[in-house]
Amino acid sequence: QTDQNMNQSQKFTEDDIPYNILNRFGFTREMIEDMPDAIITKLKNGQTTPVLPIQVTADNGDRILSAAKLSLYRNDNGEVRIMFYPKLEKAELSRFSPQQQKALNDGEPVVSDMTMPDGKKAPAFYQIDHETNQLMSVPVAVIDHNIMFIADELHLSQPEVNCIRNGKLLSADYQDTQWTLGVSLSEAPGIRVVAGDEKAWRDEERREYGKFNFGLNGCWIANDEGGLDYVPEEEYSEDLWDEMKKRGNMQRNAGTHKM
C-alpha cells in the first residue's frame, strides 16, 4: 500500500526520463540504469540529484568534463526536459551586503528582496548550495507555509517562529526529544528537521547511498565532495573488482544465513 501511494506521488516515471538528452551530456542509458535507487527516486519526484559528471561540447567541438546536479521538469508542451545546476567556482554574491555575504559563505540563509515575474519585489530566502556553489532562492511566503505547519506540530511560540524566519537554527524539546530545525533550501520542503542539537543539524548526512554502488554495467562511486563518479566495468581497477567480489560474497553469505 505504501509503495503504491509513493508511486502516485511521483511526478515522473522511468518512461519519462529523456535518455536522448542525457546521452548528449555523457549519460548513457546504462549509466542511468546503474544509478542508486535513491537517486532515481529523487529524479522521479522532481527533486535534484547529487553532483554528477557531465560532458559538454565546446564551440570548437572539444568535449569538456564538468559536473552538475540534475532535475526533471515538464515544459509547457508537456515534454519532459532536464534542468542542469552546474558546479561553479564560487557563487556570485556582489548584490549582498558584507554581513550577508559572510553568512551565505558560512552556509546560513539570508533574507533579501527577489524580483517576481510581475516585476514586484518580495522577500526571499537565499542560500548557497555548498556542493555546486549555486545560489538558491525561494520566496519567504513559500517557506512560511511549511514553517507554520511545523510550528503547529511542535507547538512553537511566535518568537521561536521568528527565529526560523530570520534564518537562524532553533532547538526545541518535543515529546522528550530535542529537535533542531532551520531553513535548508536544498531540502524539498525548504526546512530541515533533525532529532538532536545544532551540531547534529549541521553534520547530518543526507546521503542515501553507500560509497560503492554497483550496477549491471558499472559502478557509481561517492566522492568526498558529496557527488558521484561513474566507472564502467571495463575500466574497473583491481581494488574495485575486489570490492565487488567482497560484496558478492557478503550477499551470498546473507542468503545462506536466511535459509
Side-chain angles (χ1 to χ4, degrees):
Q1 187 64 41
T2 306
D3 289 341
Q4 190 177 0
N5 291 340
M6 281 179 65
N7 289 335
Q8 286 172 352
S9 71
Q10 288 181 341
K11 296 181 180 178
F12 305 97
T13 67
E14 293 208 13
D15 292 337
D16 288 325
I17 296 174
Y19 292 104
N20 57 329
I21 297 175
L22 286 164
N23 197 53
R24 295 206 298 267
F25 289 89
F27 284 98
T28 63
R29 192 179 186 111
E30 290 78 14
M31 288 170 70
I32 297 160
E33 289 171 349
D34 283 348
M35 276 185 186
D37 289 340
I39 298 178
I40 293 294
T41 300
K42 278 181 179 289
L43 271 179
K44 289 181 184 175
N45 289 340
Q47 295 174 276
T48 310
T49 70
V51 175
L52 302 173
I54 62 170
Q55 293 182 35
V56 292
T57 305
D59 292 339
N60 63 0
D62 287 347
R63 298 288 279 175
I64 300 169
L65 294 177
S66 185
K69 290 186 174 184
L70 320 175
S71 67
L72 299 179
Y73 72 97
R74 211 176 289 277
N75 67 14
D76 294 339
N77 298 327
E79 299 162 330
V80 178
R81 292 287 182 261
I82 300 284
M83 185 77 78
F84 289 91
Y85 304 90
K87 189 170 184 176
L88 306 175
E89 284 295 316
K90 63 178 184 177
E92 170 50 53
L93 303 178
S94 57
R95 53 164 296 191
F96 298 99
S97 70
Q99 293 92 333
Q100 288 177 319
Q101 289 185 31
K102 183 183 185 308
L104 286 165
N105 283 320
D106 288 343
E108 297 174 13
V110 302
V111 176
S112 184
D113 279 347
M114 169 191 278
T115 303
M116 307 305 284
D118 61 6
K120 293 178 181 175
K121 292 188 182 297
F125 284 109
Y126 289 85
Q127 196 171 29
I128 293 175
D129 176 354
H130 70 274
E131 291 174 357
T132 62
N133 290 320
Q134 290 270 2
L135 187 65
M136 304 176 288
S137 59
V138 178
V140 168
V142 174
I143 305 292
D144 241 6
H145 174 83
N146 298 327
I147 291 175
M148 294 314 298
F149 177 81
I150 293 169
D152 287 343
E153 288 284 308
L154 300 184
H155 310 299
L156 301 181
S157 66
Q158 192 57 47
E160 288 174 323
V161 170
N162 291 339
C163 172
I164 304 168
R165 277 183 175 151
N166 291 330
K168 304 300 179 190
L169 292 183
L170 173 73
S171 291
D173 291 324
Y174 178 70
Q175 294 185 348
D176 300 326
T177 302
Q178 184 185 36
W179 296 87
T180 300
L181 50 157
V183 173
S184 177
L185 301 186
S186 56
E187 311 288 323
I191 301 283
R192 184 192 302 170
V193 183
V194 171
D197 59 11
E198 289 192 12
K199 184 178 186 308
W201 191 95
R202 295 182 193 282
D203 290 349
E204 185 182 67
E205 280 284 348
R206 307 306 293 174
R207 190 174 289 170
E208 299 154 294
Y209 44 85
K211 171 76 174 170
F212 300 100
N213 303 273
F214 289 96
L216 291 173
N217 312 284
C219 181
W220 284 97
I221 303 174
N223 58 41
D224 295 336
E225 287 83 46
L228 289 148
D229 300 305
Y230 187 75
V231 180
E233 189 177 276
E234 60 269 20
E235 294 177 20
Y236 281 6
S237 65
E238 200 171 318
D239 288 346
L240 209 45
W241 278 116
D242 288 344
E243 182 67 33
M244 191 172 82
K245 287 172 191 166
K246 186 168 68 180
R247 282 161 186 266
N249 289 335
M250 284 165 62
Q251 287 166 353
R252 276 197 294 277
N253 291 339
T256 305
H257 293 318
K258 280 177 191 169
M259 294 169 68

